[in-house]
Amino acid sequence: MIKRALSILSSVLLVLTACAPDAPEPAGVVIVNARVIDGSGGPSRDVNVRVVGDRIVTVGNFEPSANDTLVDANGLVLAPGFIDAHSHHEDGLLEMPGALAVVSQGITTIAGGQDGDQIYPLDDFFASLETSPVAINVASFAGHGTLRGRVMGEDYQRHATSDELAEMVGLLRAEMEAGALGLSSGLEYDPGSFSTTEELVVLAKEVALHGGRYISHIRSEDQYFWEAIDEVITIGREAQIPVQVTHIKLAMTRWWGLADRLISKLDEARASGVDITADIYPYPAWNAGFTWLRTLFPDRDLDRRDGAEYILSDMLSPEGILLPRFGPEPSYDGMTIAEIAHIRESDPATTLMELLKADVEMGGRSPMLGFAMDEPDIESIMAWPQTVIGSDGGLAGVHPRGFGAFTRYLGHYIRERNVVSLEEGIRRMTSLSAQQVGIVERGSIQVGHYADLVLFDPETVTDRSTYEAPHLPSTGIEKVWVNGQLVIDGGQVTGNRHGKPIRRASHQK
Ligand SMILES: [Zn+2]
């Protein structure tokens, strides 16, 4: 009897709540006069967007209520906050919580833990982000190199034993349970370079059990590029897991002009059932430690002149190796090998060998930029329907992508080069990225989604960071909201820090 009375009472309450004509609505923020591009790829719409708390609650032609705060967009484009599919901006983030590099280019969420390298353990990292919030949302992959390093220590220049592999699986499981997006690998770097494909398949199978993904800086981006693409396809097929070729590129003169061959190969893999995708950064230069070039010398022997000659003829030109900071000789900062060879009155190969030796002696800490990609290839790969945008950038790195990747994509590749339409380009920076890395309730302007938003001027938006001055913020980004709070207003940083750690979609209940 009591039960029945309670049930009647609750029905009455439900009806009252649902029908009350003048129930006070919570105060919201309504963005009016915006050209809304919602991330779906569909055409822009002139609609209002209402935000309450950290969520989008209404999208359409409605009248704001009296207690709403209005934001006049003045006809600018309102898009979902950009999602960076490959970021290193989590490094140093707790010390630089404003994340200027990130928010000033309209990015609201980063997928970190890339190239096999993660902040470990994820549980602790996410707890820190909850106690001391930063300006942006942070998701992370588990890093193969990190886990391999923890298990094998300094003795990593070999295949793992089955016990060691089982231990890696255990560590990986814990990271997946903490909400990792999946597994990242950096197979051109130590210690990941010493792993077998089989090791990666075993780990990827564990990730698949949790509904995660595999994202890879593949085993070779130059000499053995095609074999490396085969390997990532094999891992996708054998582990039955979505795979992503990260910062995809044709980074060797010999492969220039072969973008169509690459795309056909990827399309064939997709047609055969492997969910393979890609992300790209919009620049012709890569960035790594200078001494990474040593791995391209036979036996890593820096006395092998043929190694230096090979690098300078087949992969990079003397003008295409730029040393932004050179520890052993700071007067070379900002110069190319061609320029330094000229100063030393030497030839480029000798110069390269001598500088590499000097840097190795000082601990190998000098960064380099390698101009190895060709613009027509970049544009063809960018236009492939499965390619999203990733910055591969950091908060204070030497590559301009840390500050300018997304605005360069908008300004140069979309507005000036028309590689894709603005609507499609935004999809590649938002909903498609979210889908490819496994994030839900973000990446789209729709009711119920988190209010991560960017307001920008499509006519003027552009990057300003350069190889000479990589830390210049972009122009044309007017406002950025993260979880309903402004982090950029009038192009300026507000200091708000309402970012959240983001756990993998299939981890959420
Ligand atoms: Zn990488």
Side-chain angles (χ1 to χ4, degrees):
M1 190 56 144
I2 291 174
K3 224 176 180 181
R4 188 175 153 72
L6 275 178
S7 129
I8 289 171
L9 184 62
S10 64
S11 310
V12 170
L13 281 175
L14 259 179
V15 169
L16 279 176
T17 343
C19 296
D22 50 2
E25 283 188 58
V29 171
V30 178
I31 303 158
V32 298
N33 297 323
R35 181 180 158 203
V36 172
I37 299 182
D38 64 9
S40 66
S44 65
R45 292 176 292 155
D46 295 331
V47 288
N48 296 338
V49 175
R50 188 161 189 270
V51 172
V52 174
D54 62 3
R55 300 276 181 163
I56 296 166
V57 297
T58 324
V59 179
N61 293 306
F62 59 90
E63 282 300 315
S65 57
N67 54 356
D68 283 331
T69 304
L70 297 193
V71 172
D72 189 342
N74 290 314
L76 299 185
V77 166
L78 185 70
F82 305 144
I83 296 177
D84 188 343
H86 179 131
S87 165
H88 296 286
H89 293 105
E90 79 272 29
D91 295 334
L93 185 58
L94 295 169
E95 293 74 46
M96 288 177 267
L100 174 67
V102 184
V103 293
S104 59
Q105 54 176 315
I107 299 167
T108 53
T109 297
I110 62 167
Q114 298 284 351
D115 296 325
D117 189 19
Q118 67 160 119
I119 294 180
Y120 181 90
L122 214 44
D123 247 342
D124 290 358
F125 179 41
F126 282 174
S128 311
L129 290 171
E130 264 151 9
T131 30
S132 327
V134 298
I136 54 169
N137 302 311
V138 181
S140 178
F141 284 87
H144 168 241
T146 302
L147 304 180
R148 196 170 205 269
R150 293 195 74 81
V151 170
M152 298 176 73
E154 289 303 305
D155 180 24
Y156 63 78
Q157 298 199 6
R158 56 178 176 82
H159 297 169
T161 64
S162 54
D163 283 354
E164 286 166 337
L165 184 50
E167 207 183 321
M168 280 183 236
V169 169
L171 297 183
L172 177 57
R173 185 176 304 135
E175 293 307 89
M176 293 307 293
E177 284 167 359
L181 298 172
L183 182 71
S184 79
S185 64
L187 303 181
E188 273 190 319
Y189 302 126
D190 295 349
S193 58
F194 293 92
S195 63
T196 58
T197 305
E198 190 48 38
E199 173 178 325
L200 294 158
V201 168
V202 169
L203 293 168
K205 281 182 175 166
E206 175 64 29
V207 172
L209 291 177
H210 302 262
R213 287 127 208 284
Y214 175 74
I215 188 165
S216 183
H217 173 144
I218 59 176
R219 206 174 284 274
S220 169
E221 294 193 318
D222 33 68
Q223 278 174 292
Y224 306 107
F225 174 73
W226 303 99
E227 294 86 338
I229 291 286
D230 285 337
E231 181 182 41
V232 66
I233 293 170
T234 299
I235 292 165
R237 191 182 316 281
E238 293 195 4
Q240 295 282 299
I241 187 173
V243 292
Q244 183 146 316
V245 180
T246 204
H247 49 56
I248 192 168
K249 56 176 77 84
L250 289 166
M252 186 159 168
T253 333
R254 199 192 307 161
W255 310 136
W256 283 9
L258 296 183
D260 287 350
R261 174 173 158 192
L262 171 60
I263 290 164
S264 303
K265 200 171 171 68
L266 298 174
D267 280 335
E268 278 163 28
R270 288 185 66 81
S272 77
V274 177
D275 181 1
I276 188 165
T277 55
D279 61 77
I280 192 168
Y281 53 75
Y283 295 88
W286 50 255
N287 164 221
F290 181 44
T291 55
W292 177 78
L293 289 182
R294 190 182 189 178
T295 62
L296 301 167
F297 281 72
D299 304 322
R300 300 190 178 195
D301 179 356
L302 291 176
D303 285 318
R304 288 289 298 265
R305 191 177 183 82
D306 54 341
E309 283 169 349
Y310 172 76
I311 290 169
L312 292 170
S313 61
D314 286 47
M315 295 183 48
L316 292 155
S317 67
E319 295 75 26
I321 300 177
L322 175 65
L323 300 175
R325 287 195 306 268
F326 188 61
E329 181 47 69
S331 70
Y332 295 162
D333 287 5
M335 291 186 184
T336 64
I337 292 295
E339 289 165 333
I340 299 169
H342 182 73
I343 288 172
R344 291 163 75 102
E345 298 181 350
S346 180
D347 65 276
T350 307
T351 304
L352 180 59
M353 290 158 74
E354 289 174 356
L355 297 192
L356 279 169
K357 280 186 207 167
D359 199 44
V360 166
E361 265 171 40
M362 279 193 61
R365 278 191 270 279
S366 301
M368 78 162 269
L369 294 160
F371 291 79
M373 289 81 91
D374 199 25
E375 285 293 342
D377 293 331
I378 294 174
E379 293 189 3
S380 301
I381 297 169
M382 211 173 244
W384 186 49
Q386 308 300 330
T387 305
V388 299
I389 302 300
S391 71
D392 200 9
L395 292 174
V398 298
H399 196 298
R401 63 196 180 192
F403 274 73
F406 283 67
T407 42
R408 180 169 170 73
Y409 179 60
L410 280 167
H412 180 68
Y413 289 100
I414 294 178
R415 185 176 60 238
E416 291 170 9
R417 300 289 308 156
N418 278 305
V419 170
V420 292
S421 69
L422 181 57
E423 286 83 354
E424 174 63 8
I426 287 175
R427 190 176 77 92
R428 312 282 192 100
M429 297 189 284
T430 59
S431 68
L432 190 60
S433 303
Q435 187 189 318
Q436 289 186 2
V437 298
I439 290 174
V440 292
E441 298 182 309
R442 299 185 193 270
S444 172
I445 297 184
Q446 67 179 75
V447 172
H449 266 221
Y450 283 96
D452 292 343
L453 299 163
V454 54
L455 185 71
F456 67 93
D457 185 343
E459 302 304 322
T460 62
V461 66
T462 199
D463 58 316
R464 289 197 304 135
S465 54
T466 61
Y467 299 102
E468 293 75 34
H471 299 161
L472 293 177
S474 305
T475 50
I477 300 287
E478 184 61 25
K479 291 181 195 289
V480 179
W481 290 261
V482 173
N483 298 312
Q485 303 292 323
L486 279 168
V487 292
I488 293 278
D489 192 7
Q492 302 298 312
V493 172
T494 65
N496 277 330
R497 287 166 196 168
H498 293 271
K500 298 178 183 185
I502 298 184
R503 294 170 178 87
R504 183 183 70 260
S506 54
H507 177 274
Q508 294 165 353
K509 296 290 176 292

